[in-house]
Amino acid sequence: MTIPTPQAAAPLEAVDAKQAISDKSASKGGDGRSPGKMAWRRFKRDRTGVISAYVVIFFFVVGICAPLIAKLYGKDPYTTYGQNEPGLLDDFGSPMLPNGGISGDFWFGIEPGLGRDVFTFLLYGIRNSLLIAAATTLLVTVIGIAVGITAGYLGGKTDYFVGRVIDILLAFPSTLFFIGFWPVMISILVSPEENTPVWLTVVSLITVMTAFGWASIARLLRGEVLALREREFVEAAKVTGASPARIIFKELLPNLWTPILIQATLALPLYVTAEAGLAFLGVGLTSPTPDWGVMIQRGSEVYQSDITFMLFPGAAMVIFVIAFNLLGDSVRDALDPKTKR
């Protein structure tokens, strides 16, 4: 009779060791990591995205804290220091000190002509521009989500009607329509003898840009929903008697966050430049209200005698737009690795 040797148990020990290693790696979260955590991990590895995020956060913090920074700085964007204090502007209205009047008292110099402080004017300009762009982006995204998902899920005549409205809105040359429609809207709300309140100008800008901005996001989400509503998990939810609202919020919307976030991150810098462009053309915010576009428009008038005044708002806008576009690309790559640059 043959007696079993100890080596016969070796294969079982090897299997147990492999299983222990597998369980240990799983316990660290390698296989159980959620899609959100995986996207966050991919984003943190992207140095360009992380640096861009810090730059964007810096601009938003500066905009939010503009009154506090101005108070600590000791200046405001409305006082005409050049006209109130002698020795700051010459007889032609240009700063007497070199580089636009940059000094220890005026860090970014003073505005030619009126002599306002450029540093605080830029702080409040960032604040106003980001406020308008962020509010427009939020409204455009919410309306686009509601219209796109509704049209894609219901289909039929609703989808056809919404599709035609989207086609009409996308066919409009939006910038030209802003220039032509915004003064008409203001003239209806305010008589020609009265000055237009700043809050009404801001609300009108947000309204007009929102009215023509939601169509692109709605079209994208409509196409996504048309594909998702035929999937098995949606059909299973219908079979179980789930209401349309539950299907939309529990089944469809969680699968649409990736395109929604990508479109939102790409839309905000677009509205920053659009608002600045309208202000540059004289449609929207005007002097003495601080704004990126107002500063660039004013700088285009005085650049021959003082190019420094245009330098700071122009450089700040370019840096912000580039950083936010790079951030949008990084968010897209983190959420959908298949689109890696």
Side-chain angles (χ1 to χ4, degrees):
M1 184 174 66
T2 305
I3 299 175
T5 59
Q7 285 78 4
L12 293 177
E13 295 176 359
V15 172
D16 293 340
K18 292 180 180 179
Q19 185 65 33
I21 295 174
S22 177
D23 294 342
K24 185 176 180 181
S25 62
S27 66
K28 292 182 178 180
D31 297 331
R33 190 176 292 113
S34 66
K37 291 182 178 179
M38 294 175 65
W40 174 245
R41 186 176 182 181
R42 286 192 292 265
F43 178 79
K44 290 192 297 184
R45 292 177 178 175
D46 189 348
R47 293 185 178 179
T48 302
V50 172
I51 295 174
S52 300
Y54 280 121
V55 173
V56 169
I57 292 173
F58 170 78
F59 272 91
F60 274 98
V61 170
V62 167
I64 294 172
C65 300
L68 177 60
I69 297 173
K71 185 176 181 180
L72 296 175
Y73 176 63
K75 302 287 192 306
D76 65 80
Y78 302 104
T79 302
T80 55
Y81 297 99
Q83 296 182 355
N84 300 338
E85 301 177 13
L88 295 178
L89 298 176
D90 58 19
D91 295 337
F92 299 98
S94 299
M96 296 187 66
L97 295 177
N99 301 319
I102 295 177
S103 64
D105 294 328
F106 301 94
W107 294 354
F108 286 3
I110 56 177
E111 176 190 12
L114 297 177
R116 291 176 292 190
D117 179 67
V118 176
F119 179 70
T120 54
F121 203 86
L122 179 59
L123 290 180
Y124 279 80
I126 292 173
R127 178 188 179 92
N128 293 336
S129 295
L130 293 186
L131 170 65
I132 295 173
T136 304
T137 302
L138 179 61
L139 291 175
V140 162
T141 303
V142 171
I143 296 174
I145 291 173
V147 175
I149 293 179
T150 301
Y153 181 76
L154 296 179
K157 294 182 179 179
T158 302
D159 181 35
Y160 178 82
F161 174 75
V162 172
R164 302 294 74 77
V165 172
I166 291 175
D167 292 338
I168 293 173
L169 291 178
L170 293 178
F172 272 101
S174 56
T175 302
L176 294 178
F177 196 85
F178 293 158
I179 298 173
F181 182 76
W182 186 82
V184 175
M185 183 176 179
I186 292 297
S187 64
I188 295 175
L189 299 175
V190 181
S191 63
E193 294 79 12
E194 299 179 359
N195 293 326
T196 304
V198 176
W199 68 267
L200 182 59
T201 301
V202 172
V203 172
S204 302
L205 277 174
I206 294 174
T207 302
V208 172
M209 289 194 293
T210 300
F212 291 90
W214 59 267
S216 58
I217 297 181
R219 166 175 277 185
L220 174 65
L221 296 182
R222 168 187 169 273
E224 295 286 342
V225 172
L226 286 175
L228 287 173
R229 71 177 186 177
E230 305 298 332
R231 300 283 294 272
E232 294 80 1
F233 62 90
V234 176
E235 295 295 335
K238 292 180 180 178
V239 171
T240 58
S243 63
R246 180 176 177 82
I247 294 174
I248 290 174
F249 286 101
K250 297 294 184 180
E251 305 296 340
L252 296 178
L253 195 56
N255 292 280
L256 297 173
W257 284 120
T258 295
I260 290 173
L261 290 176
I262 292 173
Q263 290 298 311
T265 54
L266 296 178
L268 193 144
L270 176 65
Y271 289 118
V272 168
T273 55
E275 187 275 331
L278 292 175
F280 180 85
L281 296 173
V283 181
L285 294 177
T286 56
S287 185
T289 304
D291 182 78
W292 256 331
V294 171
M295 294 189 72
I296 294 176
Q297 191 273 337
R298 176 61 177 158
S300 65
E301 298 176 353
V302 301
Y303 76 94
Q304 293 182 340
S305 60
D306 182 17
I307 196 173
T308 309
F309 182 77
M310 182 184 284
L311 175 63
F312 292 108
M317 176 177 290
V318 169
I319 292 172
F320 177 80
V321 172
I322 291 177
F324 216 108
N325 284 330
L326 292 176
L327 177 62
D329 292 339
S330 298
V331 170
R332 179 197 63 194
D333 295 340
L335 294 174
D336 189 3
K338 294 180 182 180
T339 61
K340 199 72 174 176
R341 286 168 286 173

